[in-house]
Amino acid sequence: MAQQKQFDVNLLRVFLAVCRTGSYTLAAEELDLTQPSVSNAITRFKAVIGEELFVRAGRNIKPTAMANYLYEQLNDSFTNIEQTISGLEGFDPITSERQFVILAGDVVTHFLQPALEEIVKDLPIEIIFREPPDYDEDIMEKLYQEQADLVIDMQLPMDLRFEKQLIMSETPVCVVRKNHPRIGDEISWDEYFDERHVVIKMRRFNLTAVDLLTDEVLPTRKVHSIKSSLLTAFDTISAGEAISVSPKRYVEDYLEMFNLKLVQPPFKMRNIEIEMVWKRKHNKNPAHIWLRDKICEVVGNSI
């Protein structure tokens, strides 16, 4: 009896990467292969399947109905296999020269980066913090394409490709200059809306921080200026009479530097829930587990 030719599992890996990225070039970058190698692998996989898998759509490629069917049937199973295998791999922080990339804004970076740098200062490991893109789909695409190991931010979108863990819950407070001529230790509703505001614009949501954190329909505020960075907001507040909102623990570290004081908001605001998100395939990856554990350790020690 003729022996059946052994199937090359690497063809499946290339096929799934091309489906995910919609590009031979991007799949080649993801898999650290050349573009001709990817094209050759798809040709070989097409010969195994016996049907066309991708067709040209302008400069891009588009999966056929058969390719979509195979992707839906095979992707989760293949991811689970990779996840299981990666969970068996060892990771030693003493000898590993691993570089981790974390996407996080200035508040999270302020809390985590100094403590994590202290943890790895005598290790060959490097942890790099980068600003996340402005839009959710770009943030999650970077995570999916493994251009980042983790994203730490608020209200991140979710689907079955990712895992999510709440790691920080920050209290929002009003911030004003310490010797503000009209605002003492408390502020009323009318006083709050009589003042001019330094608005923190949340580009991802196209909302201000205040609007994002309250269910109330608030009156229109008098805008002093619009900022995307809290530090520039603090500097503006310290030099004038404007008011703004900040996570309490974050601004507490800058009260003396900017001559600021905290006041409780005159309306109910939700806590700022900060989550850590990672690609599900790394659930059992020892290196990723080590990184997530260290982050949770730092957050636990800072509360």
Side-chain angles (χ1 to χ4, degrees):
M1 185 166 64
Q3 186 176 8
Q4 187 175 10
K5 187 175 180 180
Q6 187 175 9
F7 174 68
D8 184 353
V9 178
N10 287 319
L11 301 182
L12 182 57
R13 184 191 301 273
V14 174
F15 166 73
L16 295 175
V18 173
C19 285
R20 281 196 303 271
T21 61
S23 164
Y24 286 1
T25 301
L26 293 178
E29 292 176 1
E30 178 181 320
L31 300 172
D32 196 23
L33 297 172
T34 64
Q35 194 271 347
S37 296
V38 169
S39 179
N40 179 60
I42 294 300
T43 299
R44 291 169 57 199
F45 190 56
K46 181 178 73 172
V48 172
I49 301 302
E51 292 194 31
E52 199 69 51
L53 296 173
F54 300 97
V55 294
R56 285 287 173 187
R59 289 188 169 184
N60 300 317
I61 58 171
K62 182 179 179 180
T64 63
M66 173 57 72
N68 284 326
Y69 170 77
L70 290 172
Y71 183 80
E72 291 176 3
Q73 296 297 314
L74 299 173
N75 185 57
D76 287 346
S77 297
F78 195 79
T79 298
N80 289 335
I81 292 171
E82 286 190 315
Q83 180 176 310
T84 301
I85 297 300
S86 66
L88 300 176
E89 298 173 357
F91 172 74
D92 184 356
I94 304 298
T95 59
S96 174
E97 296 183 358
R98 178 65 186 267
Q99 180 186 88
F100 295 104
V101 174
I102 299 173
L103 300 181
D106 54 354
V107 173
V108 171
T109 300
H110 172 78
F111 283 129
L112 294 183
Q113 190 169 27
L116 290 175
E117 285 181 347
E118 182 66 22
I119 288 172
V120 302
K121 68 178 183 179
D122 296 322
L123 300 175
I125 292 172
E126 186 176 11
I127 300 178
I128 299 172
F129 280 79
R130 293 179 181 162
E131 281 282 336
D134 291 342
Y135 301 102
D136 284 347
E137 57 268 28
D138 295 330
I139 294 173
M140 305 314 288
E141 185 64 16
K142 280 188 174 293
L143 189 61
Y144 186 69
Q145 297 295 339
E146 301 191 28
Q147 296 172 8
D149 295 281
L150 294 172
V151 180
I152 304 178
D153 209 332
M154 60 186 296
Q155 297 189 14
L156 289 160
M158 279 298 295
D159 62 42
L160 295 177
R161 299 174 298 172
F162 305 105
E163 295 283 0
K164 176 188 289 190
Q165 180 180 348
L166 177 66
I167 62 169
M168 300 167 69
S169 183
E170 298 298 311
T171 304
V173 292
C174 295
V175 184
V176 296
R177 195 180 78 202
K178 188 175 291 184
N179 55 346
H180 195 286
R182 293 176 297 280
I183 299 175
D185 295 332
E186 297 181 352
I187 185 171
S188 68
W189 175 281
D190 290 338
E191 289 171 334
Y192 180 86
F193 289 101
D194 281 343
E195 296 296 332
R196 298 177 70 202
H197 294 253
V198 177
V199 175
I200 308 300
K201 189 72 172 179
M202 310 294 289
R203 288 173 294 179
R204 281 179 51 215
F205 306 100
N206 198 29
L207 291 170
T208 69
V210 172
D211 292 318
L212 188 64
L213 296 172
T214 182
D215 294 324
E216 298 188 43
V217 179
L218 301 177
T220 302
R221 278 152 285 165
K222 302 172 187 176
V223 176
H224 174 278
S225 55
I226 299 175
K227 307 289 184 182
S228 59
S229 165
L230 281 168
L231 284 183
T232 59
F234 296 161
D235 184 57
T236 300
I237 294 167
S238 70
E241 298 177 4
I243 185 172
S244 192
V245 170
S246 167
K248 182 180 179 183
R249 284 197 301 162
Y250 182 71
V251 69
E252 282 176 338
D253 288 343
Y254 295 101
L255 291 178
E256 184 175 346
M257 179 186 301
F258 290 103
N259 193 35
L260 304 174
K261 67 178 179 181
L262 309 182
V263 184
Q264 287 300 315
F267 48 86
K268 187 175 182 180
M269 297 179 71
R270 293 185 298 275
N271 276 6
I272 303 164
E273 305 286 298
I274 297 175
E275 301 159 324
M276 174 169 64
V277 178
W278 64 94
K279 200 171 178 181
R280 176 167 288 182
K281 66 174 283 189
H282 296 309
N283 276 352
K284 297 181 180 179
N285 182 290
H288 276 259
I289 292 172
W290 179 89
L291 177 62
R292 299 194 301 267
D293 285 348
K294 291 304 176 185
I295 290 172
C296 291
E297 179 183 311
V298 168
V299 173
N301 289 339
S302 66
I303 296 176

